[in-house]
Amino acid sequence: MSLDSGKTDIHSLLETVKTLQAEGNLLEASALWQEGIKMWPHDARIHQLAGDVLHTQGYLDQALISYQKSIKYSNNDPFLYFKLGVILQNR
């Protein structure tokens, strides 16, 4: 799946990634969030979803980095700190 920044909004991308992840299509979800980060590099939500997919795939170190970036671009959402704690506990 490929994105066209002129036709894709971030909300559609986020929902598509969530759906793909829920369906277990993690490779396609990963490809999509990677393209999304290129389009919206400072959006906390896409970094959080990247962390969620990476965590599901077992890539804990990369998920940790994604959650840290999400915290950097968010308003210190406490749920993101919880997700960080889960990753650190499972490493």
Side-chain angles (χ1 to χ4, degrees):
M1 182 176 288
S2 170
L3 295 178
D4 178 354
S5 61
K7 297 180 183 176
T8 302
D9 65 86
I10 190 150
H11 300 290
S12 297
L13 176 119
L14 295 170
E15 289 306 313
T16 302
V17 172
K18 288 177 189 177
T19 300
L20 290 168
Q21 181 183 13
E23 293 172 348
N25 193 342
L26 300 177
L27 291 177
E28 193 169 347
S30 292
L32 197 56
W33 67 250
Q34 288 175 25
E35 288 189 46
I37 285 177
K38 290 176 189 172
M39 294 169 66
W40 300 285
H42 302 293
D43 191 284
R45 298 166 298 175
I46 193 69
H47 287 284
Q48 178 184 341
L49 264 182
D52 293 346
V53 173
L54 289 162
H55 186 197
T56 302
Q57 291 174 305
Y59 300 124
L60 300 183
D61 290 338
Q62 293 92 333
L64 181 70
I65 292 166
S66 291
Y67 289 142
Q68 288 170 330
K69 286 181 182 179
S70 185
I71 289 169
K72 176 181 175 182
Y73 299 126
S74 76
N75 291 323
N76 291 319
D77 180 354
F79 189 60
L80 294 171
Y81 287 100
F82 171 78
K83 288 180 177 245
L84 265 180
V86 170
I87 295 290
L88 291 171
Q89 182 178 8
N90 291 321
R91 276 174 68 192

mmCIF file of all heavy atoms in Angstrom, residues 42-91:
data_model
loop_
_atom_site.group_PDB
_atom_site.id
_atom_site.type_symbol
_atom_site.label_atom_id
_atom_site.label_comp_id
_atom_site.label_asym_id
_atom_site.label_seq_id
_atom_site.Cartn_x
_atom_site.Cartn_y
_atom_site.Cartn_z
ATOM 1 N N HIS A 42 6.287 14.718 12.855
ATOM 2 C CA HIS A 42 6.150 15.270 14.202
ATOM 3 C C HIS A 42 4.784 14.977 14.816
ATOM 4 O O HIS A 42 4.383 15.646 15.768
ATOM 5 C CB HIS A 42 6.405 16.779 14.190
ATOM 6 C CG HIS A 42 7.757 17.125 13.648
ATOM 7 N ND1 HIS A 42 8.923 16.801 14.309
ATOM 8 C CD2 HIS A 42 8.134 17.723 12.499
ATOM 9 C CE1 HIS A 42 9.957 17.199 13.593
ATOM 10 N NE2 HIS A 42 9.505 17.754 12.490
ATOM 11 N N ASP A 43 4.101 13.991 14.298
ATOM 12 C CA ASP A 43 2.785 13.641 14.829
ATOM 13 C C ASP A 43 2.928 12.511 15.849
ATOM 14 O O ASP A 43 3.408 11.421 15.513
ATOM 15 C CB ASP A 43 1.843 13.224 13.704
ATOM 16 C CG ASP A 43 0.426 13.110 14.202
ATOM 17 O OD1 ASP A 43 0.117 12.114 14.882
ATOM 18 O OD2 ASP A 43 -0.365 14.037 13.939
ATOM 19 N N ALA A 44 2.533 12.782 17.073
ATOM 20 C CA ALA A 44 2.673 11.805 18.160
ATOM 21 C C ALA A 44 1.886 10.530 17.887
ATOM 22 O O ALA A 44 2.328 9.433 18.228
ATOM 23 C CB ALA A 44 2.226 12.425 19.474
ATOM 24 N N ARG A 45 0.730 10.670 17.258
ATOM 25 C CA ARG A 45 -0.142 9.501 17.051
ATOM 26 C C ARG A 45 0.482 8.458 16.141
ATOM 27 O O ARG A 45 0.373 7.262 16.395
ATOM 28 C CB ARG A 45 -1.492 9.953 16.494
ATOM 29 C CG ARG A 45 -2.248 10.876 17.449
ATOM 30 C CD ARG A 45 -3.383 11.566 16.755
ATOM 31 N NE ARG A 45 -2.840 12.411 15.683
ATOM 32 C CZ ARG A 45 -3.585 13.085 14.828
ATOM 33 N NH1 ARG A 45 -4.894 13.038 14.899
ATOM 34 N NH2 ARG A 45 -3.027 13.840 13.898
ATOM 35 N N ILE A 46 1.158 8.893 15.091
ATOM 36 C CA ILE A 46 1.758 7.920 14.169
ATOM 37 C C ILE A 46 2.947 7.221 14.828
ATOM 38 O O ILE A 46 3.166 6.036 14.642
ATOM 39 C CB ILE A 46 2.122 8.567 12.807
ATOM 40 C CG1 ILE A 46 2.445 7.482 11.774
ATOM 41 C CG2 ILE A 46 3.256 9.534 12.916
ATOM 42 C CD1 ILE A 46 1.275 6.665 11.347
ATOM 43 N N HIS A 47 3.680 7.947 15.662
ATOM 44 C CA HIS A 47 4.787 7.318 16.386
ATOM 45 C C HIS A 47 4.255 6.321 17.421
ATOM 46 O O HIS A 47 4.850 5.258 17.631
ATOM 47 C CB HIS A 47 5.673 8.376 17.050
ATOM 48 C CG HIS A 47 6.520 9.117 16.067
ATOM 49 N ND1 HIS A 47 7.651 8.579 15.489
ATOM 50 C CD2 HIS A 47 6.381 10.361 15.536
ATOM 51 C CE1 HIS A 47 8.180 9.448 14.661
ATOM 52 N NE2 HIS A 47 7.421 10.544 14.660
ATOM 53 N N GLN A 48 3.126 6.645 18.048
ATOM 54 C CA GLN A 48 2.528 5.710 18.993
ATOM 55 C C GLN A 48 2.079 4.442 18.277
ATOM 56 O O GLN A 48 2.336 3.327 18.754
ATOM 57 C CB GLN A 48 1.332 6.340 19.699
ATOM 58 C CG GLN A 48 0.661 5.373 20.661
ATOM 59 C CD GLN A 48 -0.582 5.939 21.309
ATOM 60 O OE1 GLN A 48 -0.776 7.139 21.334
ATOM 61 N NE2 GLN A 48 -1.405 5.062 21.835
ATOM 62 N N LEU A 49 1.427 4.591 17.133
ATOM 63 C CA LEU A 49 0.998 3.412 16.383
ATOM 64 C C LEU A 49 2.195 2.592 15.919
ATOM 65 O O LEU A 49 2.146 1.359 15.922
ATOM 66 C CB LEU A 49 0.165 3.825 15.172
ATOM 67 C CG LEU A 49 -1.325 3.812 15.356
ATOM 68 C CD1 LEU A 49 -2.038 4.185 14.070
ATOM 69 C CD2 LEU A 49 -1.827 2.499 15.875
ATOM 70 N N ALA A 50 3.261 3.272 15.513
ATOM 71 C CA ALA A 50 4.480 2.556 15.133
ATOM 72 C C ALA A 50 4.963 1.722 16.310
ATOM 73 O O ALA A 50 5.300 0.539 16.158
ATOM 74 C CB ALA A 50 5.562 3.540 14.690
ATOM 75 N N GLY A 51 4.973 2.323 17.494
ATOM 76 C CA GLY A 51 5.378 1.591 18.695
ATOM 77 C C GLY A 51 4.473 0.407 18.968
ATOM 78 O O GLY A 51 4.939 -0.679 19.331
ATOM 79 N N ASP A 52 3.168 0.589 18.765
ATOM 80 C CA ASP A 52 2.224 -0.510 18.990
ATOM 81 C C ASP A 52 2.499 -1.684 18.052
ATOM 82 O O ASP A 52 2.534 -2.839 18.473
ATOM 83 C CB ASP A 52 0.789 -0.027 18.796
ATOM 84 C CG ASP A 52 0.334 0.967 19.853
ATOM 85 O OD1 ASP A 52 1.011 1.101 20.906
ATOM 86 O OD2 ASP A 52 -0.707 1.619 19.619
ATOM 87 N N VAL A 53 2.704 -1.370 16.776
ATOM 88 C CA VAL A 53 2.959 -2.436 15.794
ATOM 89 C C VAL A 53 4.303 -3.105 16.091
ATOM 90 O O VAL A 53 4.411 -4.336 16.085
ATOM 91 C CB VAL A 53 2.911 -1.889 14.352
ATOM 92 C CG1 VAL A 53 3.340 -2.947 13.347
ATOM 93 C CG2 VAL A 53 1.506 -1.380 14.016
ATOM 94 N N LEU A 54 5.318 -2.301 16.356
ATOM 95 C CA LEU A 54 6.635 -2.862 16.666
ATOM 96 C C LEU A 54 6.587 -3.736 17.918
ATOM 97 O O LEU A 54 7.199 -4.805 17.961
ATOM 98 C CB LEU A 54 7.658 -1.738 16.832
ATOM 99 C CG LEU A 54 8.040 -1.017 15.535
ATOM 100 C CD1 LEU A 54 8.696 0.321 15.844
ATOM 101 C CD2 LEU A 54 8.929 -1.902 14.680
ATOM 102 N N HIS A 55 5.839 -3.301 18.923
ATOM 103 C CA HIS A 55 5.690 -4.087 20.147
ATOM 104 C C HIS A 55 5.033 -5.422 19.833
ATOM 105 O O HIS A 55 5.485 -6.482 20.283
ATOM 106 C CB HIS A 55 4.880 -3.302 21.163
ATOM 107 C CG HIS A 55 4.790 -3.961 22.495
ATOM 108 N ND1 HIS A 55 3.851 -3.605 23.418
ATOM 109 C CD2 HIS A 55 5.503 -4.965 23.080
ATOM 110 C CE1 HIS A 55 3.984 -4.354 24.503
ATOM 111 N NE2 HIS A 55 4.985 -5.183 24.309
ATOM 112 N N THR A 56 3.974 -5.393 19.034
ATOM 113 C CA THR A 56 3.286 -6.620 18.629
ATOM 114 C C THR A 56 4.229 -7.559 17.880
ATOM 115 O O THR A 56 4.151 -8.780 18.040
ATOM 116 C CB THR A 56 2.059 -6.287 17.750
ATOM 117 O OG1 THR A 56 1.183 -5.436 18.497
ATOM 118 C CG2 THR A 56 1.317 -7.535 17.339
ATOM 119 N N GLN A 57 5.126 -6.998 17.094
ATOM 120 C CA GLN A 57 6.082 -7.803 16.335
ATOM 121 C C GLN A 57 7.235 -8.309 17.198
ATOM 122 O O GLN A 57 8.028 -9.107 16.748
ATOM 123 C CB GLN A 57 6.646 -6.992 15.162
ATOM 124 C CG GLN A 57 5.629 -6.707 14.089
ATOM 125 C CD GLN A 57 6.180 -5.790 13.017
ATOM 126 O OE1 GLN A 57 6.672 -4.692 13.311
ATOM 127 N NE2 GLN A 57 6.101 -6.235 11.775
ATOM 128 N N GLY A 58 7.331 -7.808 18.429
ATOM 129 C CA GLY A 58 8.402 -8.233 19.319
ATOM 130 C C GLY A 58 9.661 -7.398 19.229
ATOM 131 O O GLY A 58 10.680 -7.739 19.829
ATOM 132 N N TYR A 59 9.605 -6.286 18.504
ATOM 133 C CA TYR A 59 10.758 -5.397 18.370
ATOM 134 C C TYR A 59 10.712 -4.351 19.489
ATOM 135 O O TYR A 59 10.339 -3.197 19.281
ATOM 136 C CB TYR A 59 10.766 -4.721 17.001
ATOM 137 C CG TYR A 59 10.841 -5.682 15.842
ATOM 138 C CD1 TYR A 59 9.880 -5.677 14.838
ATOM 139 C CD2 TYR A 59 11.886 -6.601 15.751
ATOM 140 C CE1 TYR A 59 9.958 -6.553 13.771
ATOM 141 C CE2 TYR A 59 11.974 -7.485 14.687
ATOM 142 C CZ TYR A 59 11.005 -7.454 13.703
ATOM 143 O OH TYR A 59 11.080 -8.326 12.645
ATOM 144 N N LEU A 60 11.068 -4.788 20.691
ATOM 145 C CA LEU A 60 10.877 -3.952 21.871
ATOM 146 C C LEU A 60 11.751 -2.706 21.872
ATOM 147 O O LEU A 60 11.302 -1.627 22.284
ATOM 148 C CB LEU A 60 11.099 -4.768 23.139
ATOM 149 C CG LEU A 60 10.168 -5.975 23.319
ATOM 150 C CD1 LEU A 60 10.444 -6.664 24.646
ATOM 151 C CD2 LEU A 60 8.716 -5.590 23.181
ATOM 152 N N ASP A 61 12.998 -2.822 21.444
ATOM 153 C CA ASP A 61 13.884 -1.654 21.433
ATOM 154 C C ASP A 61 13.372 -0.581 20.473
ATOM 155 O O ASP A 61 13.367 0.605 20.798
ATOM 156 C CB ASP A 61 15.316 -2.044 21.070
ATOM 157 C CG ASP A 61 16.002 -2.839 22.161
ATOM 158 O OD1 ASP A 61 15.572 -2.744 23.333
ATOM 159 O OD2 ASP A 61 16.948 -3.575 21.855
ATOM 160 N N GLN A 62 12.903 -1.012 19.287
ATOM 161 C CA GLN A 62 12.373 -0.057 18.321
ATOM 162 C C GLN A 62 11.047 0.530 18.808
ATOM 163 O O GLN A 62 10.773 1.706 18.597
ATOM 164 C CB GLN A 62 12.186 -0.713 16.949
ATOM 165 C CG GLN A 62 13.489 -1.095 16.280
ATOM 166 C CD GLN A 62 13.907 -2.541 16.606
ATOM 167 O OE1 GLN A 62 13.558 -3.098 17.634
ATOM 168 N NE2 GLN A 62 14.665 -3.143 15.712
ATOM 169 N N ALA A 63 10.231 -0.288 19.468
ATOM 170 C CA ALA A 63 8.969 0.204 20.019
ATOM 171 C C ALA A 63 9.247 1.264 21.080
ATOM 172 O O ALA A 63 8.562 2.296 21.133
ATOM 173 C CB ALA A 63 8.156 -0.948 20.608
ATOM 174 N N LEU A 64 10.242 1.031 21.903
ATOM 175 C CA LEU A 64 10.622 1.991 22.936
ATOM 176 C C LEU A 64 10.980 3.338 22.312
ATOM 177 O O LEU A 64 10.522 4.393 22.771
ATOM 178 C CB LEU A 64 11.807 1.434 23.738
ATOM 179 C CG LEU A 64 12.329 2.288 24.870
ATOM 180 C CD1 LEU A 64 11.338 2.328 26.018
ATOM 181 C CD2 LEU A 64 13.661 1.749 25.350
ATOM 182 N N ILE A 65 11.754 3.306 21.256
ATOM 183 C CA ILE A 65 12.147 4.543 20.559
ATOM 184 C C ILE A 65 10.918 5.250 19.991
ATOM 185 O O ILE A 65 10.779 6.478 20.102
ATOM 186 C CB ILE A 65 13.178 4.238 19.456
ATOM 187 C CG1 ILE A 65 14.501 3.799 20.087
ATOM 188 C CG2 ILE A 65 13.390 5.449 18.544
ATOM 189 C CD1 ILE A 65 15.481 3.167 19.118
ATOM 190 N N SER A 66 10.006 4.490 19.406
ATOM 191 C CA SER A 66 8.789 5.096 18.853
ATOM 192 C C SER A 66 7.942 5.740 19.937
ATOM 193 O O SER A 66 7.417 6.843 19.758
ATOM 194 C CB SER A 66 7.965 4.050 18.095
ATOM 195 O OG SER A 66 8.627 3.664 16.923
ATOM 196 N N TYR A 67 7.791 5.066 21.081
ATOM 197 C CA TYR A 67 7.021 5.650 22.177
ATOM 198 C C TYR A 67 7.705 6.900 22.723
ATOM 199 O O TYR A 67 7.040 7.880 23.072
ATOM 200 C CB TYR A 67 6.791 4.635 23.293
ATOM 201 C CG TYR A 67 5.832 3.531 22.936
ATOM 202 C CD1 TYR A 67 6.056 2.229 23.361
ATOM 203 C CD2 TYR A 67 4.683 3.768 22.183
ATOM 204 C CE1 TYR A 67 5.173 1.207 23.047
ATOM 205 C CE2 TYR A 67 3.798 2.759 21.861
ATOM 206 C CZ TYR A 67 4.050 1.477 22.296
ATOM 207 O OH TYR A 67 3.178 0.465 21.989
ATOM 208 N N GLN A 68 9.031 6.890 22.789
ATOM 209 C CA GLN A 68 9.752 8.074 23.258
ATOM 210 C C GLN A 68 9.522 9.261 22.314
ATOM 211 O O GLN A 68 9.343 10.389 22.751
ATOM 212 C CB GLN A 68 11.238 7.773 23.400
ATOM 213 C CG GLN A 68 11.549 6.871 24.574
ATOM 214 C CD GLN A 68 12.988 6.381 24.590
ATOM 215 O OE1 GLN A 68 13.620 6.211 23.556
ATOM 216 N NE2 GLN A 68 13.498 6.125 25.791
ATOM 217 N N LYS A 69 9.519 8.988 21.006
ATOM 218 C CA LYS A 69 9.243 10.058 20.040
ATOM 219 C C LYS A 69 7.809 10.545 20.182
ATOM 220 O O LYS A 69 7.540 11.739 20.082
ATOM 221 C CB LYS A 69 9.504 9.568 18.614
ATOM 222 C CG LYS A 69 10.970 9.437 18.299
ATOM 223 C CD LYS A 69 11.188 8.989 16.886
ATOM 224 C CE LYS A 69 12.672 8.827 16.603
ATOM 225 N NZ LYS A 69 12.917 8.362 15.229
ATOM 226 N N SER A 70 6.900 9.625 20.414
ATOM 227 C CA SER A 70 5.510 10.011 20.596
ATOM 228 C C SER A 70 5.355 10.929 21.802
ATOM 229 O O SER A 70 4.643 11.936 21.750
ATOM 230 C CB SER A 70 4.633 8.763 20.754
ATOM 231 O OG SER A 70 3.277 9.118 20.819
ATOM 232 N N ILE A 71 6.035 10.605 22.883
ATOM 233 C CA ILE A 71 6.000 11.456 24.075
ATOM 234 C C ILE A 71 6.581 12.834 23.758
ATOM 235 O O ILE A 71 6.031 13.860 24.161
ATOM 236 C CB ILE A 71 6.755 10.792 25.245
ATOM 237 C CG1 ILE A 71 5.944 9.600 25.767
ATOM 238 C CG2 ILE A 71 7.058 11.787 26.352
ATOM 239 C CD1 ILE A 71 6.695 8.704 26.726
ATOM 240 N N LYS A 72 7.654 12.851 23.007
ATOM 241 C CA LYS A 72 8.288 14.122 22.639
ATOM 242 C C LYS A 72 7.321 15.032 21.886
ATOM 243 O O LYS A 72 7.308 16.244 22.110
ATOM 244 C CB LYS A 72 9.518 13.839 21.765
ATOM 245 C CG LYS A 72 10.220 15.059 21.229
ATOM 246 C CD LYS A 72 11.401 14.676 20.363
ATOM 247 C CE LYS A 72 12.039 15.888 19.729
ATOM 248 N NZ LYS A 72 13.150 15.508 18.847
ATOM 249 N N TYR A 73 6.497 14.455 21.013
ATOM 250 C CA TYR A 73 5.598 15.251 20.186
ATOM 251 C C TYR A 73 4.200 15.403 20.781
ATOM 252 O O TYR A 73 3.366 16.082 20.214
ATOM 253 C CB TYR A 73 5.500 14.658 18.789
ATOM 254 C CG TYR A 73 6.821 14.626 18.068
ATOM 255 C CD1 TYR A 73 7.317 13.456 17.520
ATOM 256 C CD2 TYR A 73 7.596 15.775 17.944
ATOM 257 C CE1 TYR A 73 8.534 13.429 16.868
ATOM 258 C CE2 TYR A 73 8.819 15.757 17.295
ATOM 259 C CZ TYR A 73 9.279 14.571 16.754
ATOM 260 O OH TYR A 73 10.478 14.555 16.114
ATOM 261 N N SER A 74 3.954 14.786 21.918
ATOM 262 C CA SER A 74 2.628 14.878 22.539
ATOM 263 C C SER A 74 2.674 15.862 23.703
ATOM 264 O O SER A 74 3.704 16.464 23.991
ATOM 265 C CB SER A 74 2.177 13.508 23.045
ATOM 266 O OG SER A 74 2.852 13.180 24.244
ATOM 267 N N ASN A 75 1.571 15.938 24.360
ATOM 268 C CA ASN A 75 1.502 16.765 25.563
ATOM 269 C C ASN A 75 1.702 15.908 26.798
ATOM 270 O O ASN A 75 0.944 15.991 27.759
ATOM 271 C CB ASN A 75 0.156 17.498 25.628
ATOM 272 C CG ASN A 75 0.043 18.548 24.569
ATOM 273 O OD1 ASN A 75 1.019 19.209 24.245
ATOM 274 N ND2 ASN A 75 -1.138 18.703 23.999
ATOM 275 N N ASN A 76 2.718 15.053 26.761
ATOM 276 C CA ASN A 76 3.037 14.162 27.881
ATOM 277 C C ASN A 76 1.851 13.292 28.289
ATOM 278 O O ASN A 76 1.490 13.210 29.458
ATOM 279 C CB ASN A 76 3.580 14.952 29.075
ATOM 280 C CG ASN A 76 4.951 15.510 28.784
ATOM 281 O OD1 ASN A 76 5.784 14.836 28.193
ATOM 282 N ND2 ASN A 76 5.195 16.738 29.181
ATOM 283 N N ASP A 77 1.258 12.656 27.321
ATOM 284 C CA ASP A 77 0.133 11.753 27.553
ATOM 285 C C ASP A 77 0.551 10.638 28.514
ATOM 286 O O ASP A 77 1.478 9.886 28.232
ATOM 287 C CB ASP A 77 -0.296 11.159 26.205
ATOM 288 C CG ASP A 77 -1.448 10.202 26.293
ATOM 289 O OD1 ASP A 77 -1.894 9.859 27.399
ATOM 290 O OD2 ASP A 77 -1.917 9.782 25.215
ATOM 291 N N PRO A 78 -0.101 10.496 29.666
ATOM 292 C CA PRO A 78 0.297 9.482 30.645
ATOM 293 C C PRO A 78 0.201 8.057 30.105
ATOM 294 O O PRO A 78 0.952 7.186 30.531
ATOM 295 C CB PRO A 78 -0.657 9.688 31.819
ATOM 296 C CG PRO A 78 -1.616 10.723 31.432
ATOM 297 C CD PRO A 78 -1.203 11.321 30.133
ATOM 298 N N PHE A 79 -0.709 7.829 29.150
ATOM 299 C CA PHE A 79 -0.831 6.488 28.578
ATOM 300 C C PHE A 79 0.446 6.082 27.848
ATOM 301 O O PHE A 79 0.835 4.918 27.859
ATOM 302 C CB PHE A 79 -2.041 6.420 27.645
ATOM 303 C CG PHE A 79 -2.353 5.034 27.180
ATOM 304 C CD1 PHE A 79 -2.670 4.029 28.085
ATOM 305 C CD2 PHE A 79 -2.339 4.721 25.830
ATOM 306 C CE1 PHE A 79 -2.956 2.733 27.659
ATOM 307 C CE2 PHE A 79 -2.628 3.436 25.399
ATOM 308 C CZ PHE A 79 -2.937 2.450 26.313
ATOM 309 N N LEU A 80 1.133 7.049 27.255
ATOM 310 C CA LEU A 80 2.390 6.754 26.573
ATOM 311 C C LEU A 80 3.467 6.336 27.572
ATOM 312 O O LEU A 80 4.276 5.449 27.287
ATOM 313 C CB LEU A 80 2.851 7.951 25.751
ATOM 314 C CG LEU A 80 1.951 8.311 24.571
ATOM 315 C CD1 LEU A 80 2.375 9.641 23.976
ATOM 316 C CD2 LEU A 80 1.981 7.210 23.528
ATOM 317 N N TYR A 81 3.461 6.957 28.740
ATOM 318 C CA TYR A 81 4.407 6.542 29.775
ATOM 319 C C TYR A 81 4.092 5.129 30.261
ATOM 320 O O TYR A 81 4.997 4.349 30.553
ATOM 321 C CB TYR A 81 4.398 7.538 30.944
ATOM 322 C CG TYR A 81 5.078 8.834 30.602
ATOM 323 C CD1 TYR A 81 4.341 9.957 30.249
ATOM 324 C CD2 TYR A 81 6.464 8.940 30.615
ATOM 325 C CE1 TYR A 81 4.963 11.155 29.920
ATOM 326 C CE2 TYR A 81 7.097 10.125 30.295
ATOM 327 C CZ TYR A 81 6.339 11.227 29.948
ATOM 328 O OH TYR A 81 6.977 12.403 29.630
ATOM 329 N N PHE A 82 2.828 4.799 30.323
ATOM 330 C CA PHE A 82 2.435 3.435 30.672
ATOM 331 C C PHE A 82 2.976 2.446 29.644
ATOM 332 O O PHE A 82 3.550 1.409 29.997
ATOM 333 C CB PHE A 82 0.900 3.321 30.758
ATOM 334 C CG PHE A 82 0.425 1.906 30.907
ATOM 335 C CD1 PHE A 82 0.501 1.261 32.135
ATOM 336 C CD2 PHE A 82 -0.100 1.222 29.827
ATOM 337 C CE1 PHE A 82 0.070 -0.054 32.272
ATOM 338 C CE2 PHE A 82 -0.522 -0.087 29.953
ATOM 339 C CZ PHE A 82 -0.446 -0.724 31.183
ATOM 340 N N LYS A 83 2.816 2.776 28.356
ATOM 341 C CA LYS A 83 3.321 1.899 27.292
ATOM 342 C C LYS A 83 4.841 1.752 27.384
ATOM 343 O O LYS A 83 5.372 0.666 27.176
ATOM 344 C CB LYS A 83 2.902 2.426 25.919
ATOM 345 C CG LYS A 83 1.431 2.250 25.645
ATOM 346 C CD LYS A 83 1.060 2.773 24.273
ATOM 347 C CE LYS A 83 -0.390 2.513 23.995
ATOM 348 N NZ LYS A 83 -0.609 1.584 22.905
ATOM 349 N N LEU A 84 5.529 2.843 27.712
ATOM 350 C CA LEU A 84 6.982 2.780 27.917
ATOM 351 C C LEU A 84 7.313 1.817 29.049
ATOM 352 O O LEU A 84 8.236 1.005 28.943
ATOM 353 C CB LEU A 84 7.533 4.161 28.281
ATOM 354 C CG LEU A 84 8.097 5.030 27.195
ATOM 355 C CD1 LEU A 84 8.578 6.348 27.786
ATOM 356 C CD2 LEU A 84 9.181 4.375 26.419
ATOM 357 N N GLY A 85 6.572 1.909 30.135
ATOM 358 C CA GLY A 85 6.794 1.026 31.272
ATOM 359 C C GLY A 85 6.591 -0.438 30.924
ATOM 360 O O GLY A 85 7.361 -1.307 31.356
ATOM 361 N N VAL A 86 5.570 -0.722 30.123
ATOM 362 C CA VAL A 86 5.323 -2.107 29.696
ATOM 363 C C VAL A 86 6.508 -2.623 28.890
ATOM 364 O O VAL A 86 6.978 -3.749 29.103
ATOM 365 C CB VAL A 86 4.015 -2.194 28.872
ATOM 366 C CG1 VAL A 86 3.874 -3.558 28.210
ATOM 367 C CG2 VAL A 86 2.817 -1.906 29.769
ATOM 368 N N ILE A 87 7.000 -1.792 27.973
ATOM 369 C CA ILE A 87 8.160 -2.204 27.176
ATOM 370 C C ILE A 87 9.364 -2.441 28.066
ATOM 371 O O ILE A 87 10.056 -3.466 27.955
ATOM 372 C CB ILE A 87 8.503 -1.128 26.111
ATOM 373 C CG1 ILE A 87 7.389 -1.001 25.086
ATOM 374 C CG2 ILE A 87 9.846 -1.427 25.431
ATOM 375 C CD1 ILE A 87 7.243 -2.164 24.155
ATOM 376 N N LEU A 88 9.640 -1.520 28.960
ATOM 377 C CA LEU A 88 10.819 -1.664 29.836
ATOM 378 C C LEU A 88 10.701 -2.886 30.733
ATOM 379 O O LEU A 88 11.704 -3.568 31.003
ATOM 380 C CB LEU A 88 11.006 -0.390 30.668
ATOM 381 C CG LEU A 88 11.430 0.831 29.880
ATOM 382 C CD1 LEU A 88 11.364 2.086 30.738
ATOM 383 C CD2 LEU A 88 12.812 0.657 29.267
ATOM 384 N N GLN A 89 9.507 -3.200 31.170
ATOM 385 C CA GLN A 89 9.307 -4.376 32.009
ATOM 386 C C GLN A 89 9.528 -5.670 31.218
ATOM 387 O O GLN A 89 10.007 -6.658 31.765
ATOM 388 C CB GLN A 89 7.897 -4.365 32.582
ATOM 389 C CG GLN A 89 7.617 -5.511 33.507
ATOM 390 C CD GLN A 89 6.216 -5.434 34.106
ATOM 391 O OE1 GLN A 89 5.399 -4.603 33.724
ATOM 392 N NE2 GLN A 89 5.936 -6.306 35.034
ATOM 393 N N ASN A 90 9.223 -5.654 29.933
ATOM 394 C CA ASN A 90 9.299 -6.869 29.113
ATOM 395 C C ASN A 90 10.624 -7.049 28.387
ATOM 396 O O ASN A 90 10.818 -8.045 27.709
ATOM 397 C CB ASN A 90 8.164 -6.881 28.089
ATOM 398 C CG ASN A 90 6.824 -7.070 28.730
ATOM 399 O OD1 ASN A 90 6.680 -7.844 29.662
ATOM 400 N ND2 ASN A 90 5.839 -6.335 28.268
ATOM 401 N N ARG A 91 11.534 -6.086 28.514
ATOM 402 C CA ARG A 91 12.824 -6.192 27.801
ATOM 403 C C ARG A 91 13.719 -7.201 28.441
ATOM 404 O O ARG A 91 13.795 -7.503 29.529
ATOM 405 C CB ARG A 91 13.534 -4.844 27.769
ATOM 406 C CG ARG A 91 13.038 -4.001 26.635
ATOM 407 C CD ARG A 91 13.580 -2.624 26.641
ATOM 408 N NE ARG A 91 15.018 -2.611 26.366
ATOM 409 C CZ ARG A 91 15.783 -1.554 26.536
ATOM 410 N NH1 ARG A 91 15.270 -0.442 26.970
ATOM 411 N NH2 ARG A 91 17.051 -1.573 26.262
#
